[in-house]
Amino acid sequence: QKQRSDVDVELEDGVGDREYLQKVAQVLPRLLHEHKPDILLYDAGVDVHLDDRLGNLSLSDQGLFDRDLYVMRCCLAMGVPVATVIGGGYDADHSMVHWRHSIVLQAAVAANRWRQGS
């Protein structure tokens, strides 16, 4: 059974990119505004990927990138630094898990370019 946390966002099994990002966009800005963190520790989990054998969601590679980029841009826009770790990822093809873990780094580069205005 899933443990309860301070903020739980219910998602139906099989939720894809669009619905997932909409939920993140509904919750993250409000939490950042309410809590005003000094830093955000972001666990960029990839078990939400559609090919993950343990996750129940259906994000694509692009969906992972969009999620990670949104989180970082939202934090940067509010002046909140982000520290990120990778997590999850259960696939027999380890190279695919490695690829999915690299997506957060690609999003960090894109977020930094966005912040610099280029």
Side-chain angles (χ1 to χ4, degrees):
Q1 183 176 359
K2 183 176 178 352
Q3 297 295 312
R4 300 285 299 168
S5 62
D6 292 339
V7 177
D8 291 300
V9 178
E10 296 292 327
L11 296 170
E12 297 293 323
D13 286 354
V15 163
D17 297 346
R18 185 170 166 259
E19 295 167 274
Y20 187 95
L21 193 55
Q22 285 175 339
K23 285 287 190 179
V24 172
Q26 288 172 359
V27 174
L28 182 60
R30 176 180 53 84
L31 290 174
L32 291 173
H33 180 74
E34 287 175 5
H35 296 279
K36 297 177 181 31
D38 294 324
I39 191 169
L40 180 84
L41 178 58
Y42 174 49
D43 182 349
V46 298
D47 52 347
V48 296
H49 193 272
L50 61 96
D51 291 331
D52 191 275
R53 62 186 163 100
L54 295 183
N56 294 323
L57 302 179
S58 296
L59 272 68
S60 66
D61 289 355
Q62 184 64 51
L64 292 174
F65 178 84
D66 293 344
R67 174 201 63 184
D68 297 344
L69 181 61
Y70 178 81
V71 168
M72 291 180 200
R73 285 179 65 171
C74 192
C75 289
L76 289 170
M78 298 183 84
V80 178
V82 180
T84 187
V85 295
I86 55 174
Y90 307 93
D91 192 315
D93 184 346
H94 293 251
S95 66
M96 294 311 301
V97 175
H98 300 160
W99 166 253
R100 291 177 204 137
H101 284 159
S102 76
I103 291 172
V104 71
L105 302 174
Q106 297 168 50
V109 169
N112 189 50
R113 286 186 182 136
W114 172 81
R115 183 177 60 90
Q116 294 175 346
S118 55

